[in-house]
Amino acid sequence: MKQDEQRTDSNYFAVKPRNEIASELMNRVQNYYQYLRTSRLFDLWQRAYIYYYKASIHSGAIVATGENGEYSGLYVNHFRNILQNLLNLTVSQRPTWQARATNTDFKSQVQAKLANGLLDYYMREKRMERSIRQAVEDAICITGEGFIYTKWDANQGEEYGTTETGAIVRNGDIEYGTVTSPNLIRDPALKSFDERDWLIVRTFKNKYTLASEYPEHRERIENLSYQYEILVDDIMDFTFGNTFLRETDLIPVYEFYHEDNASCPGGRYVVYLQDELVLIDSPIPYKEIPIYRISAGDIRDMPFGYTVGFDLMPIQKAIDDCFSTIQTNLSTFGVQNILMPRGANIGLEELGGGLNVIEYDGQQVPSAFTPVGIAPDTYNFIPTLVGTLETLSGVNSVIRGQPEASLKSGAALALVASQAYQTSLLLQASYVQLLEDVGTATVNILKDYVSVPRIAMISGVANRSYMEEFTGDDLSEINRVIVDVGNPLANSISGRLELASNYMQIPPEFRDQWAQIISTGRLENVMEGNGAEILLIKAENEELQQGSNPPVLVTDNHALHIQEHKTVLSSPQSRRNAEIVQSALDHIQEHIRQMKEGDPDVLGLTGTQPIQTPQPPPPPEMMGGANPIQAMGEEVGMPNLPTNPMTGEQFAPLEGSIPPQL
């Protein structure tokens, strides 16, 4: 009651008391639908819906059209095929979650790993992936924008206990779903969707299920029925149909979300029904409005999306007209007619079958009637229209599986395919943003609402699943989720052929790095080591300029360090400072010493060429050669000692004696 009294002090509609808020909100709902009608946005969305789901209109048949059914409507839906290819280009790669922790300690890293596993689990098991694809499909194919809601549903999950009245209490779980543009009420005067402070979501729920959730209002809820007259020409005609809406047990449920800001402190969350029955009125239970948007493009100065599909619709209409013209002509004049002169006396039964002998009166022979044929321009115009569709959408014939005959090599096919991926970069960026928003919201909701231990099936090494028990406290350090998506080129046949060819040409030692670049499209991971080395060198240069000598490790890229450290001595001011000169030279000399004396195995593995210190030559005897003096004496011929004339023996001097002079 005190909260309501405080809200009456403001004229702002969002802080009106409980007994007035539903009426205020319904006024905004009706104003929104009125705007969609007058601006013809609804007509645009409805036409895109019909073109995309064309077969549901003609029931897969050739339709008789015209005032008297004289024309044959043949619809060949290139529009859907092209947009489906664009959709597959966007969502074909399953995202890689990277939860970011506030800190880098061991506990935070463990929590980040758990968060990544939980996001994969919710992606696979809890409809997150299906809802994301549906939102992207809405954005590309129908309304130019798609929305996902991510909220906590206390009625999901396993049984946790019972209340005093015997009602079952469950431990709750996250609910994912999509919201179409007609069902997401916003302020049409906004210049962009990001400026919104509030949103109203309209969903349809079974009134009997709703009555069981709010037994205090059971009778009033069960007496409700969908009030078609509440809106003139209801916005959902093209998705449900008037008869169905009038006879169904589904009733619209409205959820109002307002941000926590100065105009509405604490935010606001209101759940109400079409008869202005308020079921819930509380502060917003989430950190932000749990509605997340993807847009193929935006209409400037408006809070609505735009898709290339809007531009393709009139071209698809022209294609349908061409095929219908051809089909009408063939169905009308395709069966042969015969011109027969009056009085020829030929019965119709004689013209049926074959091998008949036909007698006739008169001189004029019956002949075939050939009506005016279809103009060649009609046939020639169809390829032009289809090519225009492909040009505008960026989805070329290679992506559609029908490459031109001139494109034969894998390189040519990959080049043409890559052009389609380039045209969808804006959509890809919005898709990644949607994934990050939904992933972050999932972690935040688990942090806030999972108070009792629960078990999730998480993928581990080699995609082997294991059971993990967790609570919200186990995610307390996670503050953001970012997403990496792979290269969509790797999913096309032409792209795979070209990538395989390039892979075989890459030296084996660089193939892992090349594969990382192709799969992620990013150079940061491959260049991380070199970038860190450059940053280290710059930091060391700053220390050297202050006269200090940072340590040198054997794992440094010594040649690069020496080249970069020379810049410290490249200015006249530094050279006149003896302290700077000495510290720089000493530091460079330490790198040289490591290159000479460092562990050769480490130097080799880090790509550093060791410096070999020159050694003195070994003695000749160690090399297996002869004594050079002896060899020289033998070469010039030294004189022989004299012989004893009495005995004829050569003179042998006593030890220590001096030989005679010759």
Side-chain angles (χ1 to χ4, degrees), residues 93 410-411 413-415 421 486-506 511 514-515 517-519:
Q93 288 288 337
L413 291 171
L415 176 62
Y421 305 131
N487 183 1
L489 181 64
N491 282 340
S492 65
I493 295 177
S494 58
R496 289 174 180 173
L497 291 174
E498 181 63 14
L499 293 176
S501 175
N502 291 341
Y503 182 82
M504 299 307 298
Q505 300 176 20
I506 300 294
R511 286 178 180 174
W514 178 86
I517 296 174
I518 293 299
S519 62

Side-chain angles (χ1 to χ4, degrees), residues 378-389:
T378 303
Y379 292 100
N380 296 335
F381 194 35
I382 293 176
T384 301
L385 292 172
V386 174
T388 304
L389 284 178

